[in-house]
């Protein structure tokens, strides 16, 4: 029954995502017919030259400029969606996402540090150093949060959230100091912190695909345990689940997913908050269905937002700004509903 339920939701969502990818590839300064897009992508997939009757400029634009950015939007949105679903399940809080624990801020600090070091003349390859430093920043933030919350041996949600708020505040101040050090070139950090997929390349896709696949599969593997943990730590422990071990594993995996997403796109907020919460109202709280749907829905949502800012708006707005403008009111409404109707939907 569950498999049929998954298929009933997944197939239409996957079809919609494929259509959105193809449609997005047609939009931009140079319009390319959707039929030509499929021909170009098929030629790229089988490593053959596009047909001679196709415009070579259109082939280059679609295959080497638009598609890396489109796929990066899908994969980054998927990573943020899955990590948000996991964070909400672990913390039993529909307002939780990677920002609640300061993970995104830590990854942003690591990447900003690379930019400042480059400004001061330290030679570092940006394509490699930014992902590495963002990864280390996110992982180090998680380690500090776990250390601060370790006084509570059960790693309760309250302890983790409070530790995340404390660390995030410190890192925000540290990022402000890096902006001060950057002086006239502070725009490099500010633009990156606002989020953008303009610099996405095929090398980024090579990193995002295995991370998305591995992280999502790990989350799905533990989805049944997450369902049981929603009944409370005492009940989960009585059923043989090591809640501390489960939280540590999934927090680590979700942190790595978030750090990699931030290293490619900068800070893109609210995707990890909106997507799981919206899906929970549509398909229910079962994480076995919620987690895979969060990947595809997160990818579709971020792709739509990036297409709007890239091809529809007269000026390209940083995608992090757009998602914040859309997600901020949603967050406010969700917060007021929680105050009026109780704690959560779990």
């Amino acid at each position: 029954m569950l498999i049929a339920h998954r298929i009933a939701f997944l197939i239409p969502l996957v079809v919609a995502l494929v259509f959105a990818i193809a449609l997005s590839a047609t939009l931009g300064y140079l319009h390319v017919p959707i039929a030509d897009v499929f021909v170009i992508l098929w030629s790229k997939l089988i490593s053959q030259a596009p047909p001679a009757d196709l415009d070579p400029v259109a082939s280059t634009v679609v295959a080497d400029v638009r598609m890396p950015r489109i796929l990066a939007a899908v994969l980054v949105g998927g990573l943020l969606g899955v990590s948000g679903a996991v964070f909400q399940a672990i913390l039993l809080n529909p307002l939780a996402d990677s920002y609640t624990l300061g993970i995104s801020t830590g990854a942003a600090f690591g990447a900003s540090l690379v930019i400042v070091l480059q400004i001061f003349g330290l030679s570092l390859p940006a394509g490699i150093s930014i992902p590495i430093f963002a990864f280390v920043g996110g992982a180090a933030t998680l380690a500090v949060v776990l250390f601060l919350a370790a006084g509570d041996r059960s790693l309760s949600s309250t302890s983790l959230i409070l530790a995340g708020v404390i660390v995030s505040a410190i890192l925000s101040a540290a990022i402000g100091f890096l902006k001060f050090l950057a002086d006239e070139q502070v725009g490099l950090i500010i633009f990156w912190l606002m989020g953008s997929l303009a610099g996405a390349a095929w090398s980024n896709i090579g990193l995002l695909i295995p991370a998305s696949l591995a992280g999502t599969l790990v989350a799905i593997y533990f989805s049944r345990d997450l369902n049981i943990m929603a009944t409370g730590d005492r009940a989960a422990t009585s059923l043989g689940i090591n809640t501390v071990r489960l939280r540590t594993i999934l927090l680590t995996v979700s942190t790595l997913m978030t750090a990699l997403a931030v290293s490619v796109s900068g800070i893109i907020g609210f995707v990890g908050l909106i997507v799981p919460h919206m899906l929970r109202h549509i398909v229910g709280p079962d994480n076995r269905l919620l987690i895979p749907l969060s990947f595809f829905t997160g990818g579709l949502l971020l792709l739509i937002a990036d297409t709007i800012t890239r091809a529809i708006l007269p000026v390209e707005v940083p995608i992090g700004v757009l998602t914040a403008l859309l997600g901020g009111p949603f967050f406010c409404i969700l917060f007021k509903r929680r105050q009026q109707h109780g704690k959560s939907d779990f």
Side-chain angles (χ1 to χ4, degrees), residues 298-309:
L300 181 60
L301 178 64
L302 193 59
L303 174 59
I304 292 172
D306 186 59
T307 302
I308 291 173
T309 186

Side-chain angles (χ1 to χ4, degrees), residues 175-186:
I175 291 174
F177 180 66
L178 291 179
K179 291 179 184 178
F180 171 76
L181 292 178
D183 198 17
E184 295 180 358
Q185 300 189 56
V186 67

Side-chain angles (χ1 to χ4, degrees), residues 305-316:
D306 186 59
T307 302
I308 291 173
T309 186
R310 174 181 64 83
I312 297 178
L313 295 180
V315 178
E316 182 169 335

Side-chain angles (χ1 to χ4, degrees), residues 189-198 265-268 317-321:
I189 295 178
I190 293 176
F191 183 78
W192 190 87
L193 291 176
M194 289 191 295
S196 175
L197 291 162
S265 64
I267 293 181
I268 298 178
V317 178
I319 191 171
V321 174

Side-chain angles (χ1 to χ4, degrees), residues 83-84 87-88 91 93 95-102 269-273:
S83 62
F87 281 127
Q88 290 179 14
L91 301 178
N93 190 331
L95 298 179
D97 68 351
S98 56
Y99 298 89
T100 305
L101 297 180
F270 293 102
V271 174
L273 169 69

